[in-house]
Amino acid sequence: VKPQVFAALYPLDSAEFELFRESLERLSLNDAALSYQPEQSSALGSGFRCGFLGTLHMEIVIERLEVEHGIELLATAPTVAYQIIDSSNNLLEIENPSKYPEPNHINEVKEPIAKATMLVPEKFIGNVISLCEEKRGIQKNLSYSGSRAVLKYEMPLNEVVFDFYDKLKSVTKGYASFDYQIEGYQEDNLVKMQILVNDEPVDALSMMVHRSK
């Protein structure tokens, strides 16, 4: 099982790092989809970059760590794995934005694309189409099943995992259902956005965004 969504987790209390590591080890014994590797942040200290099947899986793992093991965690924004062809034509797969190469060393960037299916009450179609366009979605099909519309879109997985589901529920007052599957990778104009605190970049807050945003 290959993780599709990645986020860095840091214990709020650095003294709990060893407990956090042991808890992740125990959790991974009965959850084959969970992957993790150590990560060090100059701003947030020691933690782990974890791989999940999706945002729901991420929320469940964080909830279990906090409830079952009593660890308070800080999670970075979820991201996905990008394929980069560098200036030497090597293919790199990078899920940590802080490891993103300098622009002059990049020939091409590809992002994973999701094929999304939404079942939406007819009166909310306009809201959902606007949301999908905002998320760089491309409409593939629109059909009807009774009083509901079935919308099919292709959109970047990064846009889906960040906050799409919450916004979809908001614009449909909770009446939409949503499912997606990964379709492959597609080239696009993506850049790394850094967040500066006191004029210093904080590596854990870096994220990939489309240049238009």
Side-chain angles (χ1 to χ4, degrees):
V1 179
K2 189 176 180 183
Q4 301 290 348
V5 176
F6 301 85
L9 305 181
Y10 299 90
L12 289 182
D13 182 353
S14 58
E16 292 185 332
F17 177 75
E18 279 305 312
L19 173 62
F20 177 36
R21 182 180 59 77
E22 291 168 8
S23 302
L24 266 179
E25 283 179 2
R26 286 197 208 102
L27 207 55
S28 65
L29 289 175
N30 55 25
D31 187 347
L34 173 64
S35 68
Y36 62 94
Q37 59 184 23
E39 179 158 293
Q40 187 73 29
S41 165
S42 56
L44 301 174
S46 299
F48 289 92
R49 176 156 289 270
C50 302
F52 310 94
L53 287 178
T55 49
L56 178 60
H57 184 214
M58 182 180 83
E59 289 166 9
I60 290 168
V61 168
I62 293 172
E63 180 85 6
R64 289 190 64 185
L65 287 167
E66 292 184 333
V67 173
E68 296 176 18
H69 301 278
I71 306 168
E72 284 191 90
L73 294 171
L74 172 68
T76 61
T79 185
V80 298
Y82 296 89
Q83 289 183 348
I84 294 171
I85 298 175
D86 66 15
S87 52
S88 302
N89 284 324
N90 297 314
L91 177 64
L92 313 172
E93 190 163 285
I94 294 178
E95 71 274 352
N96 186 346
S98 67
K99 301 277 195 301
Y100 195 71
E102 291 299 317
N104 58 319
H105 294 152
I106 297 170
N107 280 346
E108 191 177 304
V109 182
K110 295 182 178 181
E111 62 183 339
I113 299 297
K115 184 177 181 182
T117 302
M118 290 152 282
L119 191 62
V120 181
E122 194 172 346
K123 63 180 178 179
F124 296 121
I125 289 178
N127 295 351
V128 174
I129 289 175
S130 297
L131 173 63
C132 291
E133 288 176 352
E134 176 193 326
K135 295 293 187 179
R136 298 191 285 133
I138 298 171
Q139 189 179 128
K140 292 298 180 181
N141 192 43
L142 170 59
S143 58
Y144 289 88
S145 175
S147 61
R148 290 176 174 261
V150 181
L151 284 155
K152 297 197 174 187
Y153 270 81
E154 278 185 4
M155 63 179 71
L157 181 61
N158 189 41
E159 301 282 3
V160 171
V161 303
F162 192 64
D163 61 357
F164 180 79
Y165 187 67
D166 291 339
K167 287 192 172 182
L168 178 66
K169 287 294 184 182
S170 176
V171 300
T172 61
K173 298 184 179 177
Y175 284 103
S177 62
F178 172 69
D179 190 23
Y180 71 90
Q181 61 187 40
I182 310 303
E183 283 290 287
Y185 282 78
Q186 184 173 294
E187 183 184 2
D188 215 325
N189 194 354
L190 299 157
V191 293
K192 178 173 80 171
M193 181 176 76
Q194 290 185 301
I195 307 294
L196 307 183
V197 178
N198 291 332
D199 296 326
E200 292 292 328
V202 179
D203 48 2
L205 299 181
S206 298
M207 65 178 72
M208 300 297 300
V209 296
H210 193 265
R211 189 178 291 277
S212 65
K213 296 188 177 184

